[in-house]
Amino acid sequence: MSARRILTACAMLALAALPALPAAAQEWRGWNIHAADYPNGQAMDAFTRMVGERSNNRIRMRTFHSAQLGQQDEAIQQMRLGTIDFGNFNLSPFNNLAASTNVVTLPFLFRDVGHMQRAIDGVAGEAIARELEAIGIIALAWYDAGARSLYTTRPVRTPADLRGMKIRVQTSDLWIDLMRGLGANPTPLPFGEVFTSLQSGVIDGAENNWPSYESTRHFEVARFFTTTEHSNVPEVLAVSRQRWQRMNEAERNMMREAARESAALQRRLWAEREMVSRQRVVAAGVTVIEINDRSPWAALMEPVYAKYAATPALAGLVRSIREMR
Ligand code: BDP
């Protein structure tokens, strides 16, 4: 036997002697802006547990909650580069990167949560997933984010009350135009800076859903909540394309299924948390200004539709969403 053959035989014996370890385990890092106990954090933890179990612990995912890996815009860049492997993102920070995300951000588009879910689980979600894939992000499932309303340091009852007020928005051209259309001074800021900016008077208000208003304690510094419910923009549970490309079909299907189950859980927890958060802030003395007739607000939004649903494809998407029953 030649020396080389002996070496090969030894190497094979050594391999055979190894315990049956799963093919190289992978460590995945996940981004979440919210705390671990927020519906999204709980649903992400459920997702990572399912993937761990169903891959026999070969894919080990860990979510870094509370924006430990940075603010949302940076995290999206990192997903594209593959330095963050998965995450839950609101779709508005994609507005300037993927045109179809503007459609689901559009003000006063959805009649209710069910309408939004049917659109994002169907025709809108398909269009958005295609565009996100092209920028390096694979959409697996869609999370609820409720309706977004205004909250301010002074009472706001009509668009006229908003005039000249500095209102924080997410980094998105659509949001800047939307807020300007309502009469305010839009101020794009990262989520994590809203509390101190409200406190120091850099801004006079912001806009979000009940759970974010409550969990961030923004309600302590912006004491008036006006139920404009101007946008129902949903969220995505996504993985980086860099990772996705290295997975086989069985792994992809397993991950998609786990993501769908995670979204079902998130939606249940979300509906509960919306009520709880509302009760908490009301108990803490927040003034809720109910808007029953939204038409004066919606009437100001036509230029936003004209600008952000301008192409035939986007206008067609808006039309098919409106026609949904
Ligand atoms: C919350 C979303 C979060 C956004 C935040 C914001 O869940 O992803 O970053 O709003 O307004 O509702 O920035």
Side-chain angles (χ1 to χ4, degrees):
M1 215 189 261
S2 73
R4 170 172 303 157
R5 277 207 170 158
I6 292 172
L7 275 179
T8 314
C10 286
M12 282 168 69
L13 274 175
L15 272 181
L18 279 176
L21 264 185
Q26 304 170 11
E27 309 279 343
W28 290 42
R29 297 191 324 146
W31 180 85
N32 173 23
I33 201 163
H34 299 288
D37 69 352
Y38 199 79
N40 307 28
Q42 293 188 52
M44 286 184 81
D45 286 342
F47 171 68
T48 61
R49 265 197 310 277
M50 286 185 269
V51 171
E53 282 160 22
R54 296 173 193 181
S55 69
N56 292 323
N57 212 21
R58 202 175 79 74
I59 304 178
R60 298 175 191 158
M61 295 178 138
R62 171 163 170 216
T63 304
F64 293 80
H65 299 287
S66 304
Q68 287 173 69
L69 302 182
Q71 290 297 323
Q72 188 139 220
D73 292 335
E74 298 139 31
I76 288 172
Q77 289 314 320
Q78 293 208 49
M79 283 276 288
R80 301 182 66 184
L81 295 168
T83 48
I84 288 180
D85 304 303
F86 66 104
N88 158 226
F89 303 91
N90 188 269
L91 289 176
S92 291
F94 293 102
N95 287 166
N96 296 357
L97 302 168
S100 56
T101 63
N102 285 298
V103 170
V104 292
T105 307
L106 281 170
F108 308 105
L109 174 66
F110 299 112
R111 290 184 298 273
D112 50 36
V113 182
H115 185 201
M116 183 281 288
Q117 289 178 347
R118 284 191 298 284
I120 198 70
D121 290 337
V123 55
E126 283 156 25
I128 292 170
R130 267 197 306 277
E131 282 196 345
L132 291 184
E133 176 157 9
I135 62 162
I137 286 168
I138 308 295
L140 296 181
W142 312 101
Y143 282 2
D144 275 358
R148 297 177 75 105
S149 286
L150 283 168
Y151 51 89
T152 46
T153 52
R154 299 194 297 276
V156 170
R157 292 189 174 80
T158 64
D161 294 337
L162 258 189
R163 202 156 301 141
M165 285 175 88
K166 292 192 290 303
I167 305 294
R168 177 270 174 172
V169 291
Q170 300 192 69
T171 333
S172 137
D173 292 344
L174 186 155
W175 274 104
I176 292 175
D177 286 328
L178 184 158
M179 208 42 81
R180 204 170 273 149
L182 294 179
N185 270 342
T187 310
L189 281 175
F191 192 46
E193 286 174 27
V194 177
F195 186 91
T196 47
S197 304
L198 283 166
Q199 211 174 26
S200 63
V202 166
I203 51 173
D204 306 303
E207 54 76 52
N208 221 310
N209 47 51
W210 290 108
S212 280
Y213 177 54
E214 177 258 318
S215 64
T216 54
R217 312 201 72 79
H218 293 173
F219 69 90
E220 291 177 355
V221 276
R223 307 287 290 159
F224 299 92
F225 191 98
T226 308
T227 63
T228 45
E229 302 193 346
H230 49 267
S231 176
N232 276 276
V233 56
E235 313 213 339
V236 66
L237 176 62
V239 302
S240 141
R241 194 178 61 198
Q242 306 255 2
R243 284 285 194 190
W244 194 249
Q245 281 167 340
R246 283 179 262 136
M247 287 165 73
N248 64 36
E249 210 41 40
E251 288 170 324
R252 290 178 179 177
N253 290 338
M254 176 274 287
M255 210 174 263
R256 278 197 193 284
E257 180 52 34
R260 271 195 294 272
E261 289 175 38
S262 159
L265 171 66
Q266 191 273 348
R267 291 173 182 189
R268 266 202 316 282
L269 296 172
W270 181 263
E272 288 163 18
R273 180 63 181 258
E274 267 190 324
M275 286 188 304
V276 170
S277 293
R278 184 182 173 136
Q279 283 160 3
R280 282 185 189 156
V281 300
V282 168
V286 160
T287 303
V288 179
I289 300 168
E290 289 286 357
I291 303 295
N292 298 314
D293 178 12
R294 300 199 166 81
S295 51
W297 301 81
L300 300 167
M301 295 292 95
E302 251 158 54
V304 177
Y305 277 77
K307 185 162 168 190
Y308 294 94
T311 66
L314 296 176
L317 190 52
V318 170
R319 211 173 317 114
S320 47
I321 291 174
R322 282 205 166 125
E323 282 164 5
M324 284 181 132
R325 286 295 121 223

